[in-house]
Amino acid sequence: MTRIDTKFADLKAQGKKAFVSYIMAGDPDFDTALEIMRGLPAAGVDVIELGLPFTDPMADGPTIQLAGQRALEGGMTLRKTLEMAAAFRKDDNTTPIVLMGYYNPIYSMGVETFLTEAKAAGIDGLIIVDLPPEEDSELCLPAQAAGLNFIRLATPTTDDKRLPRVVQNTSGFVYYVSITGITGSAEAEASDVAPEVIRIRDKSGLPVIVGFGVNTPEKSKAIAEVADGVVVGSAIVSRIANGDSVQDVLAFVKTLSDGAHAA
């Protein structure tokens, strides 16, 4: 079992929903991002999604795009992102880390080298937005063989014909994108999400975590009530972009995690 599997088993035993937070590696700079990352577990974060900066993040809205640009301009790379994860692991060997991003940087490094270094850095799972199931041999299957979860996205347009293919080699959890569009572009609605969560959970047998369009404690609670957990990204990243202190960012994260855990 990976740390992700263990975390969801523990949460289920406690009757709790998961709170997952996203931050961009290296935003606004390496040291500040690492300080925020180290504070996330105490702020109630169950799983950390660590964004991999990329020049063409097609699934992301302006907030995440700009975070990636800031990180890249500050010299952030895939290898430095793994160094950030490794630094976090020196003090925390239990909180799962999911690396979320795009395939190009991994392809450029080389899949075998990347998987070896990711595993050594303490990465537990991958969400690679631009690798469809038809390309599972590229990274998904090698990653699972290396002991990493490969987490797939399902969306409102993933119909019953497509869904089995999407979840076929998925492990850890399924990330349900609650809206049609890019990150930070609309708000998720629990009434729309609930039947989709049931449908995806039935097909996958995995926890279903809902992201995109969750930006307040109230929304976090409402979505967590109909799912196995909730992801918040853009709302946190926007606080970092605004220059909020590390303490203020983490205090905001705590309100969101409290909402999810109250579900």
Side-chain angles (χ1 to χ4, degrees), residues 17-256:
K17 302 300 180 74
F19 180 72
V20 182
S21 70
Y22 172 100
I23 61 169
M24 178 66 72
D27 177 43
D29 56 70
F30 185 99
D31 291 340
T32 304
L34 178 57
E35 187 179 356
I36 292 170
M37 187 179 182
R38 284 174 166 157
L40 291 175
V45 173
D46 298 302
V47 179
I48 297 171
E49 281 185 12
L50 186 60
L52 173 60
F54 183 52
T55 54
D56 188 23
M58 62 185 182
D60 293 306
T63 299
I64 304 296
Q65 286 183 27
L66 291 170
Q69 288 178 18
R70 290 191 296 270
L72 290 169
E73 288 167 2
M76 206 63 182
T77 62
L78 172 52
R79 190 156 269 118
K80 286 187 177 180
T81 299
L82 296 179
E83 289 173 6
M84 184 174 158
F88 172 86
R89 278 280 172 249
K90 291 179 181 179
D91 303 311
D92 187 319
N93 197 40
T94 58
T95 304
I97 303 173
V98 175
L99 188 66
M100 185 171 186
Y102 299 83
Y103 185 46
N104 184 275
I106 295 169
Y107 178 81
S108 296
M109 177 181 280
V111 168
E112 186 174 346
T113 299
F114 165 73
L115 291 175
T116 299
E117 295 193 15
K119 189 73 174 173
I123 299 295
D124 302 293
L126 304 173
I127 300 175
I128 307 301
V129 178
D130 53 348
L131 273 183
E134 287 73 20
E135 305 297 336
D136 275 355
S137 60
E138 283 281 331
L139 182 61
C140 172
L141 298 180
Q144 306 230 56
L148 299 175
N149 290 123
F150 199 89
I151 297 147
R152 192 76 72 187
L153 302 175
T155 75
T157 59
T158 307
D159 60 22
D160 288 336
K161 182 178 179 181
R162 179 65 174 167
L163 183 59
R165 185 71 183 91
V166 169
V167 303
Q168 182 177 353
N169 291 316
T170 300
S171 63
F173 60 91
V174 179
Y175 187 135
Y176 179 63
V177 177
S178 63
I179 60 171
T180 53
I182 54 177
T183 56
S185 62
E187 288 197 8
E189 295 297 336
S191 58
D192 297 330
V193 166
E196 293 300 298
V197 168
I198 293 169
R199 182 172 71 97
I200 295 165
R201 192 191 292 132
D202 287 347
K203 288 290 185 183
S204 68
L206 294 169
V208 180
I209 309 303
V210 177
F212 286 49
V214 181
N215 49 26
T216 65
E218 295 76 18
K219 185 67 71 173
S220 181
K221 180 175 185 291
I223 296 298
E225 284 176 344
V226 299
D228 298 300
V230 62
V231 184
V232 179
S234 293
I236 297 169
V237 172
S238 67
R239 298 290 179 116
I240 297 170
N242 289 339
D244 287 16
S245 69
V246 171
Q247 292 73 23
D248 285 346
V249 170
L250 294 173
F252 175 62
V253 172
K254 183 67 163 58
T255 68
L256 298 165

